[in-house]
Amino acid sequence: GVLGAPPGPRLRRAAAQAGGNPALLHELAAHWSPLIETTGGILAELRVSEAELPDPPASLPQRLGYLSRSAYTALRHAALLGPAFTPRELALVQGRPAREVLAALEEPLLAGLLEDTGEQLRFRHPALRLALYAELPRAARSALHQEAAAALAGAGHDPARTAEQLLAGGALDRRAVQWLADSTPSLIAAAPGAAAELLERAVKQADRADREALEGSLADAALMLRRPESAGLLATLHERAADPGARAALAFKLVSALMIQGDMGRALAVTEDALAEPVPSPALRLRLEACRVLALAERGSAAQARALAVPVVAKAARLGDPLCGAEAHHAMSFALFHLGRGRESLRHVAEGIAWARRGPEANDMRLLLLANQAEGHERFDEPEPVAAALREARELALATRSTGRLVVTE
């Protein structure tokens, strides 16, 4: 009735802000009416993206006049935490005992403003949360987000949640940069996108003494995200590095980035150069040798790759390192695959998976090998091992919140 035509896809998605409340939906539609275009009575659609919509009507929070001051304040602080939050997070942000926060949240829960999902409390009407958030002056929002980040970080909370607050809080202060430097590995694993965005900010703000380490972390995040700029960042850092161990580690990451981009020629060249230099770590040297096998096989020299893989597999067995063992057998399986020796390739895939199961540091390689195992058995029309490999891969991905693999070759 308000629109005069059925809503289009963008408008339907935006209407979800009402959380199914008809009166709230009517108010939102009236608020957006200058941005809604109706085509011949057939379709009503937003002329802008959802991200470009204005804040909800400032009158919406007036609907909450029946709440106590404590409950209303708790909701406003909860709005800073996003669409969903935990009572513990809100207690940390407000600096109040959990029992007081739970008491303050009882009113909005009973009123149906929040819903309990089991693990979190969620705003039932997203537009109401946005309106509560918009009530706060912009400068106050930034300060509150920074304070929330500090509270979450100080309690050792989930780094991804701390990162959300820092991203919303604007420029990073010294305390935030230090937290980022300390938390980068876990943050990249949990939320590489947020890590990359924060590291980009930190690099712009950092002095020369801190910039190199932050750029290295940014390259790691970009590598995890499969972003093309990771190779450029890593190449720059590799050129700067003087320490042999640091040079070798950066060379390995650079080779990984180049493989992800499909530039096997350059990956092989970087690998050969790295192996010609001192590599203090036997494990890292072996991993570079495994990369050489992969690059040679991909570039059509599968027989040479297979010959080089034999000593790599033997050295991995002597080292006893799970990641080295997994990568060595992956390299051999890849060379054999390119030689058309599918059954032998699958045997080495299974060996690699067995090595990877020995340590969590090999989880990403284990996922890659499980995918290769499923694909290999599918070629032989063997559905049971395909299903088993995919089941293990799904369970591992869920358990580790995996966001990617370091080296992608297939």
Side-chain angles (χ1 to χ4, degrees):
V2 175
L3 301 175
R10 278 200 304 273
L11 187 54
R12 280 199 302 273
R13 287 193 298 270
Q17 289 189 23
N21 183 304
L24 183 52
L25 179 59
H26 189 281
E27 191 167 349
L28 287 173
H31 185 59
W32 294 334
S33 59
L35 303 172
I36 298 173
E37 184 175 35
T38 302
T39 307
I42 299 173
L43 189 72
E45 185 59 289
L46 286 169
R47 293 200 299 266
V48 299
S49 69
E50 293 171 73
E52 295 173 298
L53 285 172
D55 290 332
S59 60
L60 288 190
Q62 295 173 14
R63 295 168 173 260
L64 306 180
Y66 58 87
L67 292 177
S68 67
R69 179 179 293 275
S70 176
Y72 189 83
T73 302
L75 274 187
R76 285 183 72 177
H77 278 96
L80 288 162
L81 292 169
F85 62 96
T86 66
R88 179 173 181 262
E89 288 173 340
L90 187 55
L92 288 170
V93 169
Q94 287 196 293
R96 299 169 65 191
R99 64 180 181 278
E100 291 183 14
V101 170
L102 288 168
L105 292 174
E106 188 173 346
E107 288 180 55
L109 277 165
L110 290 173
L113 301 172
L114 298 173
E115 55 184 342
D116 189 343
T117 66
E119 295 182 354
Q120 294 178 306
L121 300 180
R122 182 176 297 278
F123 280 89
R124 181 163 291 180
H125 312 107
L128 190 56
R129 183 192 78 82
L130 293 172
L132 286 166
Y133 184 75
E135 271 193 329
L136 296 165
R138 193 172 298 276
R141 286 183 226 165
S142 295
L144 288 168
H145 280 302
Q146 290 168 7
E147 288 177 10
L152 295 174
H157 198 57
D158 178 2
R161 291 290 278 165
T162 302
E164 288 173 12
Q165 293 301 306
L166 288 175
L167 286 171
L172 304 178
D173 60 20
R174 185 68 195 171
R175 179 177 52 180
V177 172
Q178 186 59 56
W179 173 85
L180 182 59
D182 294 341
S183 308
T184 291
S186 57
L187 182 57
I188 288 175
E197 190 172 342
L198 284 173
L199 285 162
E200 284 170 350
R201 289 188 197 178
V203 165
K204 289 175 183 175
Q205 297 176 207
D207 55 30
R208 184 175 297 179
D210 296 332
R211 189 175 296 125
E212 187 167 328
L214 290 167
E215 285 178 335
S217 297
L218 176 57
D220 288 345
L223 182 59
M224 185 68 81
L225 290 167
R226 310 293 191 260
R227 279 170 34 172
E229 66 265 31
S230 63
L233 280 166
L234 287 162
T236 299
L237 294 169
H238 181 251
E239 287 173 11
R240 287 183 197 162
D243 176 74
R247 280 185 62 79
L250 285 164
F252 178 78
K253 291 177 183 179
L254 175 56
V255 169
S256 301
L258 292 168
M259 285 184 171
I260 287 168
Q261 293 179 16
D263 192 347
M264 289 295 179
R266 192 173 162 211
L268 180 59
V270 173
T271 303
E272 296 284 16
D273 288 346
L275 288 170
E277 297 180 7
V279 182
S281 164
L284 188 53
R285 184 171 188 86
L286 185 143
R287 297 179 75 193
L288 284 164
E289 289 172 347
C291 285
R292 178 168 60 187
V293 171
L294 296 170
L296 284 167
E298 182 68 20
R299 284 174 59 78
S301 301
Q304 183 186 359
R306 191 261 171 197
L308 289 171
V310 173
V312 171
V313 169
K315 279 192 273 187
R318 290 195 295 272
L319 279 175
D321 178 81
L323 184 54
C324 287
E327 291 188 358
H329 283 281
H330 170 55
M332 176 63 90
S333 72
F334 194 68
L336 289 167
F337 171 79
H338 280 273
L339 287 169
R341 294 158 65 172
R343 282 294 180 193
E344 287 181 74
S345 174
L346 272 174
R347 282 197 291 275
H348 281 280
V349 168
E351 287 280 347
I353 292 169
W355 273 99
R357 287 177 181 143
R358 298 184 187 183
E361 67 274 19
N363 280 340
D364 280 348
M365 183 52 62
R366 182 176 156 200
L367 281 170
L368 173 58
L369 287 164
L370 286 165
N372 290 351
Q373 187 177 56
E375 189 176 344
H377 283 293
E378 191 170 29
R379 290 193 193 96
F380 289 106
D381 194 23
E382 296 167 340
E384 289 187 12
V386 170
L390 292 177
R391 183 167 55 252
E392 183 177 343
R394 279 193 295 269
E395 289 171 358
L396 179 61
L398 287 171
T400 60
R401 299 173 67 189
S402 177
T403 54
R405 296 184 297 266
L406 188 57
V407 182
V408 175
T409 57
E410 295 187 61

